[in-house]
Every structure is written in structure tokens, then in C-alpha cells.
Amino acid sequence: MKTTTRLLAHERLRTRGSLGTTFGVIALIGVLGSLLGATGWPALSQLGLALGMLAAVVAVPAVQLTLAADYWRTGYGRTGYFTHSIPVRGSTIFWVKLAWAMIVSLAALVLTAGLALLAWWAAARQSGLTSPSYSVLSDAWTTVTAAAPAWMIAAGLIAALASFLIWPVYYYFSVSVGHERRLAGLGAGGPVVVFVLVYVATQLLSLLGMIVLPFGVGEADGETLGIVRFDLLSEMAAGASASNNVMPVGFLAASIVLVVFCLWRTARSWNHKVALA
């Protein structure tokens, strides 16, 4: 535990410069863009709103890609030898780097929420939409709690959060496996090839999961949401006449299986398959 804490503190100190720059630039663009959007100046206002919303959208991917580049550089680049000479198991270093990526991603989500509210406020000033306020958010929450049971809301929030946190797992898996001996000849192309394969596997497994687990979220009792039967093949055969009012959940099981595999395989790569040039 003491070693893990030290490694985590080292990750924070080592990445604070690049992360501070990324967070600062995104926050500056988001705030200035939204303030410009609120002015109502012709053309400049629309540009400002676009920048404000763009900053909110890219905040999480930007910090995750910043850490993925750091993971690549410190694990397999110029300082890779130093990283792998640290007297702890390679998988320990990997888990610490991934934990730091999760913490930073959560911080980026907070920034995303703040920038989104600011962009919403700026857009409301120009279009007459309702501005963000406690009463508006409270009414929205009341609508959600009236339409779905508590367990489904909690599961939905966890699934939404996981959709943001899942990407460092794929990035780190691609970088580590892409640098193993069998792909070493591809150079920097190895991680890119592995990431493309992971993306394709994600799509195929999601499709398979929705076929094998024929369930989804839809209206189960009047206007209340619940788990209902969802036959993907029948929906696809129906074409334009498909109901389209049920969200399948089979892809979630497929994503969990793929994430667990990527975590196990990346840890194994750090312990047994590192091949530095």
C-alpha cells in the first residue's frame, strides 16, 4: 500500500505540468467562448457558443489522450527503461497509472459539467431558452425519478460514468500489447493496429451481446421504465416500422467482458511481455 501511494504521488507530480496546461487551455477556451457567446455580437456570438460547447465535449478525451501519450512515453519510450527498472512488479505500475487516469478523468468530468452549464447559460441568453438554475435541474430530476425506479437510475448513472472511464483501459491495452515482440516490427504502428482491432471487437461483441441477451429498457408499466424483451433480429427485420422505443442492454455485458480481458492482458504484458527497443 505504501509503494502504491508513493507511485501515485509520483504520477501526480510528473504529469501535473502537462495536465495543468490541458485543463487550463480547455477551461480558458470554454469560459471565454461562452462569455463571447452571451454578448450577442453578430457572428462572434455563434463562434463563441461553438467554442464553449466544444471545450465541454473535448475536456475528458483531451486529458485522457494526454495521459495516454505519457503512458506511451514513460512505459515504452525514452524513459521506458527507467520505469521498468523500478523494483516493483510491472502490473503494479500499470494499476497505479490506470488509477491516476481514472482520478484525472473524474476531475475532467467536473470541468465538463461546469463548462456545459456555462454554455447552456450563454445559449439561453441569445435564444430565449430557460437558463440553468436549481429549479430547472430539480424539475428534471423529479421527471427522471418519476419515470424510472431508483435502481435503474443508479445503474444508468454508473453506465454513463463507465462510458467515460472505459477509454484509458483501451488506450493502455493498445499501447502495451502494440509494443510486444510480435508487433515490435511495426514501430509506432503497433498500438494503432491494436486499437483498431479493439474498436472492431467492441462493435462485434456489442452486436453479439444484444442478440444473446434479448432485453432492453423501455416502457414496462404505463409511463414507467423497466426491463422489457428486445429482439434485435426482429427489430432489424422490421426496418422502418421498428418500434425504436427500447434501449438494448446486451452491449453492456459485452463491454464488461472486453474491459476485464483488456485489464488482465495489459497487466500480464507489463509482467511478462515488455520488449523495449
Side-chain angles (χ1 to χ4, degrees), residues 147-183:
W151 70 266
M152 184 174 289
I153 296 173
L157 291 174
I158 293 173
L161 182 62
S163 69
F164 288 99
L165 301 180
I166 201 173
W167 291 101
V169 177
Y170 293 156
Y171 294 152
Y172 291 7
F173 169 81
S174 301
V175 172
S176 293
V177 175
H179 277 95
E180 292 179 358
R181 289 184 178 85
R182 70 185 67 179
L183 295 174

Side-chain angles (χ1 to χ4, degrees), residues 28-110:
L28 185 63
I29 292 175
V31 171
L32 293 181
S34 293
L35 292 178
L36 182 62
T39 61
W41 295 340
L44 291 179
S45 179
Q46 297 301 318
L47 176 62
L49 284 176
L51 289 175
M53 290 186 285
L54 179 63
V57 170
V58 305
V60 175
V63 298
Q64 289 179 342
L65 288 172
T66 298
L67 285 180
D70 177 82
Y71 178 90
W72 190 330
R73 184 175 60 256
T74 59
Y76 306 92
R78 288 177 298 178
T79 57
Y81 284 102
F82 170 76
T83 301
H84 292 283
S85 68
I86 298 175
V88 297
R89 283 176 65 84
S91 58
T92 302
I93 299 174
F94 160 63
W95 290 119
V96 169
K97 287 181 175 293
L98 186 62
W100 180 237
M102 297 294 113
I103 294 171
V104 174
S105 296
L106 291 175
L109 273 175
V110 175

Side-chain angles (χ1 to χ4, degrees), residues 228-271:
V228 299
R229 187 166 181 79
F230 175 78
D231 190 334
L232 177 64
L233 298 180
S234 297
E235 292 289 321
M236 294 174 66
S241 59
S243 58
N244 295 323
N245 58 358
V246 176
M247 187 189 77
V249 297
F251 71 93
L252 294 175
S255 296
I256 292 172
V257 170
L258 185 58
V259 165
V260 171
F261 170 78
C262 288
L263 291 173
W264 166 77
R265 189 61 179 75
T266 308
R268 187 168 184 271
S269 180
W270 273 85
N271 286 337

